[in-house]
Amino acid sequence: MKEGYELIYERPKSLIKVHNHYCPGCTHGVVHKLLAEVIDELGIENETIGVAPVGCAVLAYDYIDVDWQEAAHGRAQALATGIKRMHPDKYVFTYQGDGDLAAIGTAETVHAANRGENILVVFINNAIYGMTGGQMAPTTLEGQKTSTSPYGRVIDDMGAPVKIADMLALLPKTYYITRQTVADVKGVRAAKKALKKAFEYQKAGKGYCLVEFVANCPSNWKMTPIQSFEWTKENMFPYYPLGDVKTPEE
Amino acid sequence: MAKGYIEFDYEFCKGCELCIQACPVNTLVLTTKMNKKGYRLVEDAEGKCTGCASCALVCPDAVITVYRQKKAS
Ligand SMILES: Cc1ncc(C[n+]2csc(CCOP(=O)(O)OP(=O)(O)O)c2C)c(N)n1
Ligand code: SF4
């Protein structure tokens, strides 16, 4: 460091220094980094257990330096339920895409939320199946072209995009549900605060917290990273508005 | 305005350019240099960095370390 200067930002310690496999500009990288920052700041790297999904984040256990369990596709919250009940003193979170959480795993998601399990769910909503080549997801927007909706999603045929956060907020035992983004600096700062709050709620035994990220998938959207975040802001934010969907009554 | 500087861990950079867009003083540019993966690298070409860390916050690969001049006490 140059003399007279101080360190303002560095790679978080809990983010393992390996090359990750995410595409350039993908939200997954930023959210991993934020989780690592929060885990560092709370000093809970030895008390945290993540549950990895099937999807692009299937290798998340190679990137964040906590204990992990890999779930079968969609089953992360069922697994997290078991882990948390066996280890109530540990911090337990799942990390899931919209295909994992909102398609094949809808039942596990709804029932974990309905039981008010004391876990954190990190939900990456990029409106598509990234890993498998850009198929339509339940969250795909109306008119959005994907490899399985090449002419755009038609609501009459395919249903409307599912607003998971709003659905789960209706369940009486969910505690804190919020929608965040990492599309710009302001979003990154707010998202980190939301993640930290959710970990703190878990420590206090408050119950089910879900932090949704209105995310991108530049590769399957066939855009540059910068274009993908512009598209997110123009098209995703109006349908998936940012902010807290359910805040605790304190 | 505060003065800062940044360091890139270039082998981890994927050339996504999100840092360039995030910089409020527009001091970052894409150069013609490349890392081993073949991604073009970014530099503070104008030396106007204020140490605000915007670039580092949006970086998906945690490539950037940020320093800022200490305030005179
Ligand atoms: C039982 C089962 N069904 C289907 C698949 C194929 N598959 C792998 S990942 C995936 C969807 C991933 O999409 P998402 O959860 O949105 O994550 P992303 O890759 O976009 O981050 C599917 C359908 C599988 N691996 N296992
Ligand atoms: S396919 Fe999409 S979601 Fe998967 S790593 Fe690439 S950009 Fe990210």
Side-chain angles (χ1 to χ4, degrees):
Chain A
M1 196 189 325
K2 291 187 198 166
E3 205 177 320
Y5 282 78
E6 61 187 329
L7 180 67
I8 299 296
Y9 185 92
E10 66 176 338
R11 182 188 180 93
K13 303 262 176 308
S14 297
L15 193 65
I16 301 170
K17 203 155 184 199
V18 288
H19 291 272
N20 71 42
H21 69 285
Y22 297 119
C23 305
C26 174
T27 301
H28 280 306
V30 190
V31 178
H32 282 28
K33 191 178 72 170
L34 289 183
L35 278 166
E37 285 176 22
V38 169
I39 289 166
D40 281 357
E41 282 173 25
L42 296 173
I44 56 171
E45 62 279 9
N46 294 323
E47 300 158 54
T48 303
I49 303 170
V51 182
V54 171
C56 280
V58 69
L59 300 177
Y61 47 72
D62 281 340
Y63 303 143
I64 302 178
D65 200 4
V66 296
D67 280 345
W68 286 90
Q69 176 85 52
E70 172 60 46
H73 202 5
R75 315 300 176 228
Q77 293 177 49
L79 192 52
T81 298
I83 296 171
K84 184 72 187 182
R85 289 185 177 204
M86 290 308 289
H87 297 281
D89 52 330
K90 301 283 188 239
Y91 295 85
V92 178
F93 73 92
T94 72
Y95 185 104
Q96 303 174 263
D98 44 4
D100 190 80
L101 179 147
I104 193 167
T106 318
E108 284 75 6
T109 301
V110 169
H111 293 292
N114 192 45
R115 294 189 304 268
E117 296 296 338
N118 191 21
I119 57 171
L120 163 62
V121 174
V122 179
F123 170 35
I124 309 295
N125 176 7
N126 59 9
I128 210 159
Y129 289 4
M131 184 194 210
T132 42
Q135 292 84 359
M136 196 185 88
T139 46
T140 297
L141 294 177
E142 181 177 11
Q144 188 180 343
K145 290 185 178 147
T146 69
S147 61
T148 48
S149 61
Y151 304 107
R153 182 178 189 149
V154 179
I155 289 188
D156 278 352
D157 283 348
M158 306 162 197
V162 178
K163 296 186 185 186
I164 286 287
D166 303 74
M167 264 172 60
L168 299 184
L170 294 174
L171 299 172
K173 289 193 83 178
T174 52
Y175 189 71
Y176 172 56
I177 298 199
T178 184
R179 212 182 263 121
Q180 303 287 331
T181 183
V182 294
D184 52 31
V185 179
K186 199 171 130 231
V188 172
R189 289 190 200 276
K192 182 174 167 184
K193 282 195 193 131
L195 285 173
K196 200 168 186 175
K197 229 195 277 187
F199 275 108
E200 283 162 353
Y201 288 146
Q202 184 170 146
K203 182 174 179 104
K206 298 293 187 186
Y208 190 93
C209 297
L210 180 140
V211 181
E212 170 176 348
F213 286 88
V214 184
N216 69 353
C217 176
S219 295
N220 287 298
W221 292 2
K222 305 189 184 359
M223 294 176 197
T224 67
I226 290 175
Q227 285 168 343
S228 76
F229 278 132
E230 279 164 6
W231 194 90
T232 304
K233 290 180 180 177
E234 261 168 53
N235 300 282
M236 301 268 284
F237 288 2
Y239 194 81
Y240 299 112
L242 298 183
D244 292 344
V245 183
K246 182 171 189 178
T247 47
E249 298 149 19
E250 310 225 29
Chain B
M1 204 175 270
K3 251 201 104 34
Y5 73 99
I6 49 180
E7 284 169 358
F8 290 87
D9 201 343
Y10 279 128
E11 287 314 314
F12 284 81
C13 178
K14 295 182 191 146
C16 71
E17 301 179 42
L18 291 173
C19 55
I20 299 181
Q21 203 204 25
C23 176
V25 294
N26 298 317
T27 192
L28 301 180
V29 294
L30 197 63
T31 68
T32 51
K33 288 175 224 162
M34 280 181 192
N35 64 11
K36 284 196 201 115
K37 290 182 180 161
Y39 290 118
R40 285 174 64 186
L41 303 178
V42 174
E43 261 176 22
D44 175 5
E46 309 221 2
K48 291 192 299 194
C49 172
T50 63
C52 74
S54 297
C55 55
L57 289 176
V58 300
C59 176
D61 295 283
V63 167
I64 307 173
T65 308
V66 185
Y67 303 93
R68 190 166 57 204
Q69 207 162 33
K70 284 186 196 154
K71 290 198 186 85
S73 50

